[in-house]
Amino acid sequence: MLQQIRDVLSALQRGPKRLILIAFDLLALFGALWLSFQVRLGGSFSPTTPHLALMALAPLIAIPIFIRLGLYRAVIRYLPERAMWTIIQAVALATVVWVMVLFLAEATRLAIFPRTVPLLYFSFAVMIVAGSRFAAKSLLATPQERQGGTAGVVIYGAGAAGVQLAMALNAHSRSHVAAFIDEDRALQGRDVSGIRVHPPSALAGLIQNRGVREVILSIPSMDAGRRREIIAELSQHAVKIRALPAIADLASGKYLVSQLREIDIDDLLGRSAVPPEPELFRSLLTAQVILVTGAGGSIGSELTRQIVRWQPNRLIVLEANEFALYQIDRQLRSLTSCPVVPVLGSVTDAGLLHRVMREHAVDVIFHAAAHKHVPLVEQNVFEGVRNNVFGTLSLVEAAIAAEVEHFVLISTDKAVRPTSVMGATKRWAELIVRHYGGQGDSSRRRYCAVRFGNVLGSNGSVVPLFREQIAAGGPVTLTDRRMTRYFMSIHEAAELIVQAGALSAGDDIFLLEMGEPVRIVDLAENMVRLAGLTLRDADNPDGDIEIVESGARRGEKLTEELFFDPAQATRTSQPKILRAVLKQDAASELPMALVQLRAALESNDEEKVRERLFALTER
């Protein structure tokens, strides 16, 4: 029986529900006043016509006050305990106004009321109005809601998407929509689908007074720059932030709770996307035999996923990690009918590289295989040099022998004036590609390097580390609060790498436009806030997550650079790809330097290896 009543009431629209509530309050308030007279007069109350008129006036005075104070805007099913204070205020104000009417009635000798009746009326009215609402809340609540409670949600954007989202949340979620926030002044202060619209400045009050724990961005057509600004503002509050997907991802027109996605740090960076140029992809990838080294890594795997969309003749995925190779091979086979050839091996295996290129007649190589973790490579110098330097050399030599036309090295901003072993090895890799790619009959070769900063969420990067530390309750550790880094998404980086390879005329180093550098401490703080948590510091000792500075490690720089000389970079047809204007440098000394570096490596002399490694990069 209770379930049937709950189902009938839940199925009603907001309008009929409000009318039922108003009608109940009219009768309940009149009943509360009648009961007040009965208690005061001992059950012998026989009202006259003026008495009845003044008694009927009490609920008529109260209803507009209840409406003005929002008693009919609240969703009964999600009524917070703080609503009790609003009910007391509303009943008190209605009682005061009614008492003023009584004074006028007594002054005109229309009727006389006992002085204690208004006090009794106030008490009974509060008990009936509040009690009925909390009883209805208990009746309408599901067992799950009674057990775990509900979280208040604010929807940022009171447009069509926000309205549909509010309906879906209220119907199918354990959350309830407490309010809309919208920047449109014409909407502020109005009710949209029975939910009040507030300005952005009201969020702090909503969090404190309405139990709001989550904000959902519901403006799917918003540009990236404005989205970044809004998320930055919201992240100052201790709320979880989610968003509807972009409008292009909502072609069905239905806004469902399941479509909400978590806000990640990429949204906060707010890089404006530049559409890729399809012709560049087509010219480099379609109907080609393509080899991707390091195909199981972050960049390598994203490259393979983008490559198979352009119908290459064959994709060869080379990976030294067996499980990573298994994963990417399985994933690619579910995405495409293009032949995928998994090759388990290292770029340091020259024989394997020659055999693969000879058997498959490779046209294009994307060289993503490298040891990239700065502290680990710093502690494993021999392996870093063997893989990053001589692995690249073996791959370039095999490519030249097989007459591979296109070669794209994935490099790093740490190759510019390197202070780490990893950065120095990547600078050597750039020089190897440039020097050997231009040897002999190089007119058909398009060998280049693509240099960029950190990619968000890549293996070994700070973003997954910070996320893991936050999930564990902290602390979040960083080496130096002054440290800055460039960031972009893996997807964007892979798109630009392919396009840079297509733009190459040979002997090129391309630089991806990375925007402004980001302070790592800001990144950490924003990730804490995006998780709906607070920072623990001197100003807030009771916060959730502390940020701890551990000190810079060997080889780390406070800031990174993309250019040796920013004035020497020129624009390409793709706005986010720059071409470095090259000049004579250490590449001419490379063959002898490689002989010396190999000799130091074979002697197992780490200091000698470091000396030879950095000697070339300093010129």
Side-chain angles (χ1 to χ4, degrees):
M1 183 64 180
L2 285 176
Q3 183 61 45
Q4 291 176 337
I5 296 173
R6 185 187 298 120
D7 292 341
V8 170
L9 292 176
S10 298
L12 291 175
Q13 297 296 317
R14 292 294 299 275
K17 287 180 181 178
R18 284 182 174 180
L19 290 176
I20 291 173
L21 203 55
I22 290 172
F24 173 83
D25 284 345
L26 285 170
L27 295 175
L29 291 171
F30 188 84
L33 191 53
W34 185 279
L35 181 61
S36 300
F37 274 101
Q38 292 292 336
V39 170
R40 171 63 181 83
L41 301 176
S44 60
F45 177 54
S46 298
T48 63
T49 300
H51 280 109
L52 287 174
L54 290 171
M55 289 171 66
L57 194 58
L60 294 177
I61 289 172
I63 295 303
I65 293 173
F66 287 7
I67 293 173
R68 183 66 184 87
L69 293 185
L71 265 62
Y72 302 113
R73 285 201 305 271
V75 179
I76 297 299
R77 181 176 166 188
Y78 306 114
L79 193 69
E81 284 71 16
R82 287 180 299 278
M84 186 69 190
W85 174 240
T86 305
I87 292 171
I88 292 173
Q89 287 180 307
V91 174
L93 182 58
T95 303
V96 168
V97 174
W98 183 63
V99 167
M100 293 172 64
V101 174
L102 294 185
F103 280 136
L104 291 175
E106 290 188 4
T108 57
R109 300 183 181 277
L110 184 63
I112 297 176
F113 282 74
R115 295 289 186 265
T116 55
V117 165
L119 293 176
L120 293 169
Y121 168 63
F122 168 76
S123 302
F124 291 140
V126 168
M127 286 188 287
I128 294 173
V129 172
S132 63
R133 279 160 170 75
F134 285 103
K137 174 185 176 180
S138 178
L139 174 67
L140 294 173
T142 63
Q144 294 85 355
E145 289 167 346
R146 293 192 193 99
Q147 182 178 4
T150 58
V153 172
V154 164
I155 296 177
Y156 201 115
V163 170
Q164 292 185 47
L165 177 60
M167 294 171 62
L169 283 170
N170 283 334
H172 305 293
S173 172
R174 289 180 61 183
S175 302
H176 73 280
V177 180
F180 282 117
I181 285 181
D182 204 288
E183 298 172 2
D184 186 349
R185 292 181 179 274
L187 291 176
Q188 292 170 8
R190 296 176 57 187
D191 285 2
V192 174
S193 293
I195 302 170
R196 180 56 59 97
V197 181
H198 298 267
S201 59
L203 180 59
L206 291 169
I207 292 172
Q208 182 177 357
N209 300 321
R210 302 289 296 276
V212 171
R213 294 293 176 266
E214 181 175 0
V215 177
I216 300 175
L217 293 182
S218 182
I219 314 176
S221 59
M222 183 187 301
D223 65 82
R226 182 58 188 143
R227 178 181 290 262
R228 178 193 62 197
E229 294 172 1
I230 291 176
I231 294 173
E233 294 168 5
L234 295 178
S235 67
Q236 303 302 312
H237 302 281
V239 291
K240 182 179 181 181
I241 306 172
R242 289 197 290 171
L244 282 176
I247 194 68
D249 299 328
L250 296 174
S252 65
K254 293 184 180 294
Y255 299 86
L256 303 178
V257 176
S258 60
Q259 291 174 314
L260 294 176
R261 64 175 181 83
E262 303 295 325
I263 290 292
D264 58 30
I265 200 66
D266 194 21
D267 294 290
L268 195 58
L269 295 178
R271 288 177 54 82
S272 56
V274 174
E277 299 181 24
E279 188 53 43
L280 292 177
F281 282 84
R282 195 175 295 111
S283 65
L284 186 64
L285 305 178
T286 303
Q288 301 293 306
V289 177
I290 300 170
L291 167 65
V292 178
T293 70
S298 305
I299 290 292
S301 60
E302 180 61 28
L303 278 170
T304 63
R305 284 188 287 270
Q306 295 200 23
I307 288 168
V308 295
R309 297 174 188 166
W310 294 92
Q311 291 82 48
N313 277 346
R314 187 181 299 112
L315 175 61
I316 305 158
V317 289
L318 175 68
E319 173 58 53
N321 183 290
E322 181 184 24
F323 182 69
L325 181 63
Y326 164 74
Q327 289 282 69
I328 191 60
D329 179 47
R330 184 171 61 87
Q331 186 178 131
L332 292 173
R333 291 181 189 279
S334 70
L335 294 176
T336 181
S337 59
C338 162
V340 177
V341 181
V343 178
L344 182 62
S346 168
V347 290
T348 60
D349 187 342
L352 171 66
L353 299 177
H354 282 276
R355 185 171 66 252
V356 167
M357 293 189 204
R358 184 174 60 252
E359 290 179 1
H360 297 286
V362 173
D363 300 303
V364 182
I365 296 175
F366 291 94
H367 180 30
H371 296 319
K372 306 181 183 75
H373 195 269
V374 172
L376 283 180
V377 176
E378 205 66 35
Q379 297 175 52
N380 295 273
V381 178
F382 296 143
E383 181 56 27
V385 170
R386 188 177 293 112
N387 189 79
N388 294 1
V389 177
F390 292 104
T392 300
L393 178 62
S394 297
L395 187 63
V396 170
E397 290 176 338
I400 292 172
E403 298 183 347
V404 175
E405 183 175 350
H406 291 276
F407 188 108
V408 182
L409 167 72
I410 284 76
S411 188
T412 171
D413 56 358
K414 295 174 177 61
V416 179
R417 284 181 271 274
T419 59
S420 65
V421 171
M422 193 281 282
T425 60
K426 295 301 284 184
R427 178 57 181 156
W428 277 69
E430 291 181 354
L431 295 173
I432 288 168
V433 172
R434 181 185 177 194
H435 176 77
Y436 288 97
Q439 293 289 298
D441 182 12
S442 61
S443 58
R444 292 183 63 250
R445 292 191 207 121
R446 304 290 184 267
Y447 287 22
C448 68
V450 182
R451 188 188 295 156
F452 54 95
N454 296 269
V455 288
L456 292 166
S458 64
N459 296 334
S461 75
V462 297
V463 172
L465 173 62
F466 286 171
R467 189 175 289 123
E468 180 181 313
Q469 291 175 334
I470 291 168
V476 172
T477 58
L478 49 84
T479 54
D480 195 302
R481 289 179 175 270
R482 299 168 296 169
M483 189 172 288
T484 63
R485 289 292 183 268
Y486 292 100
F487 287 97
M488 68 165 44
S489 71
I490 295 176
H491 180 81
E492 182 185 12
E495 279 189 344
L496 293 174
I497 288 167
V498 174
Q499 293 174 87
L503 289 169
S504 178
D507 195 23
D508 289 310
I509 292 181
F510 292 102
L511 319 163
L512 303 188
E513 196 279 312
M514 300 291 296
E516 295 299 318
V518 176
R519 291 174 69 230
I520 299 299
V521 66
D522 292 341
L523 180 73
E525 290 176 355
N526 285 325
M527 289 187 67
V528 170
R529 295 189 185 105
L530 287 178
L533 302 172
T534 58
L535 290 166
R536 185 190 308 156
D537 52 25
D539 296 329
N540 185 24
D542 297 323
D544 301 306
I545 303 292
E546 183 181 11
I547 295 178
V548 176
E549 192 173 5
S550 60
R553 296 167 293 191
R554 183 176 184 178
E556 284 188 322
K557 294 197 291 187
L558 288 181
T559 60
E560 300 288 4
E561 306 168 89
L562 287 169
F563 313 94
F564 281 97
D565 183 1
Q568 296 299 312
T570 62
R571 293 282 175 184
T572 66
S573 61
Q574 226 295 349
K576 292 209 167 186
I577 300 176
L578 306 176
R579 178 184 275 111
V581 177
L582 301 177
K583 56 185 179 180
Q584 290 298 321
D585 56 20
S588 60
E589 305 172 26
L590 187 64
M592 181 55 68
L594 281 167
V595 171
Q596 295 170 342
L597 182 62
R598 191 186 295 275
L601 188 65
E602 291 174 351
S603 69
N604 289 321
D605 187 340
E606 182 174 320
E607 287 306 315
K608 195 67 173 178
V609 170
R610 285 181 180 272
E611 179 186 331
R612 294 297 183 190
L613 190 66
F614 285 98
L616 189 69
T617 62
E618 291 171 357
R619 293 180 228 169

